[in-house]
């Protein structure tokens, strides 16, 4: 049922991990395995297939990790100095302030923004669910920060304010049909990496860093997309997701850094490298997306 093992042998060319074939396979697996469902009559077969996919996922994560390990190896382990280092990723992190975004803001046509959003929506792993997976068994203070963030994702209990459905409303208004098969591998890889880190407990600290760097870097991108949509006449109610994240994630980022990252490193300095690796893995995935989008759009 699942033919994955040819990709995970160490002697294989691991660059195959960054391909349509592997990333679509991982994306479909993530979609199916995380969906609520009933027990499969062949549950043993499902577990065996899953173990092949876990190997593939593990090879992919380690490949990403190797790519940034040097840069993360000597991050400060003093909690305050670490947060300073982390915050500087906004300006000096991989893919930051990519020329794609001023172009989206000022020049892209509606058709081009629609394509961009379709890629982003298909690769969207759901910040709410990633946070929920990540918070399992975390220390109380950190868990509370993730809970506050999650509650905002949930619209503080109001369905209209939930972030996921807010993005879906824009997708519907622009008549986008995001599907895995039409999505570039770079975008799928980003979602697959986020999902892998959030669901594997041995990458829990990586996930904390990867989610934190989203909060840190989303405001500038969101503001550019919101401005582009406004320029093209998309009504305020439809672009709300981007208008909101341009502002709210500035607060989310400050709170995440102070209440999740700093205490995590204060309790165990070894976590600094894991958090840094997760953040850099996420940013590298983003940088690959922006480069690919520019190549396809320009
Ligand atoms: Fe959000
Ligand atoms: Fe946020």
């Amino acid at each position: 049922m699942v033919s994955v093992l040819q990709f995970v042998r160490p002697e294989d060319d691991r660059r195959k991990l960054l391909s349509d074939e592997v990333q679509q396979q991982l994306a479909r697996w993530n979609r199916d395995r995380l969906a609520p469902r009933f027990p499969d009559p062949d549950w043993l077969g499902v577990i065996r297939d899953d173990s092949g996919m876990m190997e593939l996922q593990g090879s992919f994560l380690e490949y990403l990790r190797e790519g940034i390990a040097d840069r993360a190896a000597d991050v400060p382990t003093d909690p305050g100095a670490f947060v300073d280092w982390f915050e500087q990723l906004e300006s000096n992190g991989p893919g930051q302030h990519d020329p794609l975004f001023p172009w989206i803001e000022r020049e892209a046509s509606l058709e081009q923004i629609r394509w961009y959003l379709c890629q982003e929506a298909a690769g969207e792993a759901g910040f709410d669910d990633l946070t929920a997976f990540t918070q399992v068994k975390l220390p109380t203070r950190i868990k509370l920060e993730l809970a506050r963030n999650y509650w905002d994702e949930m619209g503080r209990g109001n369905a209209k304010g939930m972030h996921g459905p807010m993005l879906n409303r824009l997708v519907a208004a622009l008549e986008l049909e995001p599907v895995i098969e039409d999505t570039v591998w770079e975008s799928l890889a980003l979602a697959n990496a986020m999902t892998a880190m959030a669901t594997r407990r041995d990458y829990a600290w990586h996930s904390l860093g990867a989610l934190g760097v989203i909060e840190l870097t989303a405001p500038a991108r969101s503001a550019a997309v919101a401005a582009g949509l406004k320029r093209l006449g998309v009504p305020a109610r439809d672009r709300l997701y981007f208008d909101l994240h341009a502002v709210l994630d500035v607060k989310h980022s400050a709170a995440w850094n102070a209440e999740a990252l700093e205490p995590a490193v204060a309790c165990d300095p070894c976590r600094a490298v894991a958090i840094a690796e997760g953040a850099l893995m996420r940013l590298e995935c983003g940088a690959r997306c922006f480069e690919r989008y520019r190549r396809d759009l320009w």
Side-chain angles (χ1 to χ4, degrees):
M1 181 178 152
V2 177
S3 55
V4 296
L5 295 182
Q6 70 266 30
F7 294 115
V8 297
R9 298 293 174 225
E11 65 270 21
D12 251 23
D13 181 354
R14 293 192 305 154
R15 282 172 302 179
K16 278 186 188 168
L17 293 164
L18 304 184
S19 67
D20 287 329
E21 191 173 5
V22 168
Q23 295 304 328
Q24 290 198 13
Q25 204 168 10
L26 283 170
R28 282 193 294 271
W29 177 61
N30 281 324
R31 179 191 59 197
D32 296 347
R33 79 187 171 108
L34 297 177
R37 61 192 186 279
F38 299 112
D40 194 304
D42 180 25
W43 59 269
L44 201 52
V46 172
I47 289 175
R48 286 178 184 140
D49 287 346
D50 279 349
S51 97
M53 291 305 295
M54 290 289 293
E55 270 190 65
L56 183 59
Q57 183 192 60
S59 301
F60 167 54
L61 270 188
E62 284 303 301
Y63 186 61
L64 293 181
R65 196 154 79 97
E66 279 168 28
I68 51 78
D70 282 352
R71 184 165 176 185
D74 49 8
V75 289
T77 51
D78 167 77
F82 177 75
V83 168
D84 289 344
W85 175 88
F86 192 88
E87 287 177 343
Q88 282 166 24
L89 290 173
E90 208 288 324
S91 53
N92 66 16
Q96 279 305 97
H97 303 286
D98 191 281
L100 179 73
F101 293 95
W103 176 81
I104 286 177
E105 182 173 344
R106 297 183 207 124
E107 289 177 54
S109 68
L110 184 60
E111 211 39 53
Q112 288 168 321
I113 288 196
R114 285 181 75 246
W115 183 86
Y116 162 80
L117 290 172
C118 208
Q119 297 296 315
E120 291 281 288
E124 172 63 37
F127 196 94
D128 53 350
D129 288 338
L130 295 172
T131 303
F133 279 123
T134 301
Q135 61 79 37
V136 174
K137 304 290 181 191
L138 285 183
T140 302
R141 185 171 162 196
I142 302 174
K143 184 179 273 208
L144 269 176
E145 178 50 34
L146 271 59
R148 283 188 289 268
N149 190 299
Y150 183 79
W151 191 231
D152 280 352
E153 288 289 321
M154 293 296 105
R156 302 191 169 195
N158 175 353
K160 280 189 185 157
M162 288 170 72
H163 297 188
M166 210 181 276
L167 178 60
N168 293 341
R169 284 201 291 280
L170 176 64
V171 166
L174 295 179
E175 298 179 331
L176 309 179
E177 287 172 21
V179 290
I180 290 170
E181 290 66 29
D182 294 340
T183 306
V184 299
W185 69 258
E186 290 88 344
S187 178
L188 299 176
L190 189 154
N192 289 333
M194 292 303 299
T195 304
M197 289 189 272
T199 53
R200 279 205 29 190
R201 301 314 294 152
D202 46 350
Y203 288 86
W205 304 109
H206 286 76
S207 185
L208 201 72
L211 291 168
V213 92
I214 292 179
E215 298 290 15
L216 179 75
T217 58
R221 290 194 301 273
S222 297
V225 175
L229 291 169
K230 185 177 181 184
R231 171 176 58 81
L232 291 161
V234 174
R237 65 169 186 279
D238 295 337
R239 48 172 215 266
L240 186 59
Y241 178 87
F242 289 101
D243 281 328
L244 175 74
H245 285 90
V247 178
L248 181 62
D249 281 351
V250 175
K251 288 183 190 165
H252 279 170
S253 175
W256 194 280
N257 297 349
E259 291 299 312
L261 301 190
E262 191 164 333
V265 175
C267 279
D268 181 357
C270 294
R271 293 172 186 160
V273 171
I275 292 168
E277 285 185 347
L280 290 168
M281 287 159 74
R282 165 61 181 79
L283 289 178
E284 282 290 353
C285 285
R288 283 192 193 94
C289 288
F290 308 150
E291 204 185 312
R292 172 67 189 265
Y293 297 164
R294 276 190 274 107
R295 227 183 313 135
D296 284 21
L297 283 166
W298 291 2

